Amino acid sequence: MQTVWHSEQTLRTALISKNPALVSQYEKLNAGEQRLMNEAFQPNSDLFGPITLHSKSDWITSHPEAPQDFEQFFSDPYRKAPSPEKRSIYIQCIGALGNTRIISEEYIKWLKGYCEAFFYGLTVKLLEPVAVSATKCSFRVNDSTQNLQIHAGHILKFLKKKKPGDAFCIVGITMIDLYPRDSWNFVFGQASLTDGVGIFSFARYGSEFYSSRSEGRVKKLQKISSHDYSVFDNYYTPEVTGVLLLRSCKTLTHEIGHIFGLRHCQWLSCLMQGSNHLEEADRRPLNLCPICLRKLQCAVGFNIIERYKALVRWVDDETADASGVTPKRRREDSGNLPKRGEAFKEWREWMIRCLAVLQK
C-alpha cells in the first residue's frame, strides 16, 4: 500500500489560496467552519486522512490528472453554478430500481432525501419514472457478463430534451448496465457538464452482478432486435441492501459533484477521488475533504453546520421519505429494505465529531 502525502503548506494553499481576495473570502467564514476546514492540514487529524493506493490499477496511478485546488475551481471559466432561477436537481428513474413498485419508490425517495441534505439549500425533485422504451436508446447484451446494457450517450440526449427550465441539472439513475460506445465494455456513468445532464447505473453494485448465477444474465443469446424493448419487461433488479444504498449515494453525489465543476480529488481521502474499480470505490468515503467541501459551499452557499445536521437527520429518520405509504403497506412491501441507521452508522458518528468541532 502507498500513501499519498502532501505537506502542510501545500494543503493550506490548496484550501485557502495565496490570492488575497480568496484568502479574505476564507477569513469571512465563521470560526467553526474555519476550524473544521483547517483540519485539512493538521498532521494528526482524525477527521481527514491521506489517500491510500492499494494497487497499480487504482485511479491516480492509472489516470494521471492535474490536481484542482480551490483557486483553480473558483477561477474556472467553464464552471457552472446554480442561479436563483435554476436551483433544482432533477432525478429521472429509468426502469425499475427494485423488484416491487413500493421498493422502487422508497429507494428513489431515499436518494432524493440524501441529495437534498448533501447539496443543502438546493431543491431535489423526482420526475415520473420512465421505461427504457421511452428513451429510444440503443441496447445490447454484454459479451462478458451476458447482461443487458443501454447506451449512455443516447440517454443523455433524452435527458437533455426533458430538462426543466428551473433545473441546475438532471440526472438519470437506472439498475440496467451502461455502455458509452460499442468498443467499450461498460461504464458506471456518464455526464455532460456543459448540458448539466448525467446518467448513472447501480447495476454493478448488486452483490451478484459478477456471479455466473446472476439472474440478470440473458438466458438465451438470441439476436435481439434493436427496437424490441420487451426484453426489459420484468428485467431483474438486485436486492436493495445497505451496501447497495451506500454505493448508490456515493456514486450519485460524486457524479453530481462533477456537474458543479469539482474535478477528481488528489489531496485527501474524499468522495471526489476517482475510482477505477469497485474495491476502490468502496474505499472512497461518503464525505468531502475540506478542499472539496469549500468548493461545494462556494457553489451552493450552504451553512456547513446546517448541512451536517441535515445529513444526520436523514440517517436518523427512517420514515422521512415514506409519505403516502400506509404503515401496513410499508411493512408488507418494503420489509426487505435495509435500515439507514445501520448502513450509515460509521458515517453518522464521523459527522457528529465534525459537528463537535464546528460548534466548539
Side-chain angles (χ1 to χ4, degrees), residues 118-134:
F118 194 93
F119 300 102
Y120 187 74
L122 300 185
T123 301
V124 179
K125 301 178 180 179
L126 299 179
L127 295 171
E128 281 296 316
V130 298
V132 176
S133 57

Side-chain angles (χ1 to χ4, degrees), residues 243-278:
V243 171
L244 180 62
L245 182 60
L246 272 168
R247 290 169 171 171
S248 302
C249 288
K250 281 184 185 181
T251 295
L252 192 57
T253 49
H254 173 101
E255 299 297 346
I256 294 175
H258 282 318
I259 297 176
F260 278 94
L262 279 74
R263 299 210 292 266
H264 284 133
C265 182
Q266 300 184 52
W267 304 111
L268 295 162
S269 180
C270 177
L271 173 78
M272 291 309 298
Q273 284 173 239
S275 62
N276 215 27
H277 46 82
L278 190 56

Side-chain angles (χ1 to χ4, degrees), residues 31-132:
E33 291 180 333
Q34 289 189 52
R35 190 161 49 243
L36 179 71
M37 290 195 182
N38 287 348
E39 288 281 326
F41 46 82
Q42 302 303 321
N44 299 315
S45 173
D46 65 347
L47 294 175
F48 305 101
I51 295 171
T52 57
L53 305 178
H54 294 245
S55 74
K56 292 181 180 179
S57 65
D58 282 1
W59 183 271
I60 289 179
T61 306
S62 56
H63 293 80
E65 297 173 287
Q68 180 197 50
D69 60 21
F70 177 77
E71 183 174 342
Q72 290 167 322
F73 168 84
F74 185 84
S75 306
D76 184 353
Y78 302 106
R79 176 174 66 87
K80 294 192 174 183
S83 65
E85 299 79 26
K86 296 179 183 292
R87 293 188 64 82
S88 295
I89 296 171
Y90 281 83
I91 299 177
Q92 173 69 73
C93 182
I94 298 170
L97 292 184
N99 53 22
T100 71
R101 183 177 63 83
I102 296 300
I103 289 178
S104 287
E105 289 175 356
E106 292 292 286
Y107 184 30
I108 196 169
K109 285 176 184 175
W110 277 5
L111 295 175
K112 173 186 181 290
Y114 184 77
C115 280
E116 282 188 327
F118 194 93
F119 300 102
Y120 187 74
L122 300 185
T123 301
V124 179
K125 301 178 180 179
L126 299 179
L127 295 171
E128 281 296 316
V130 298
V132 176

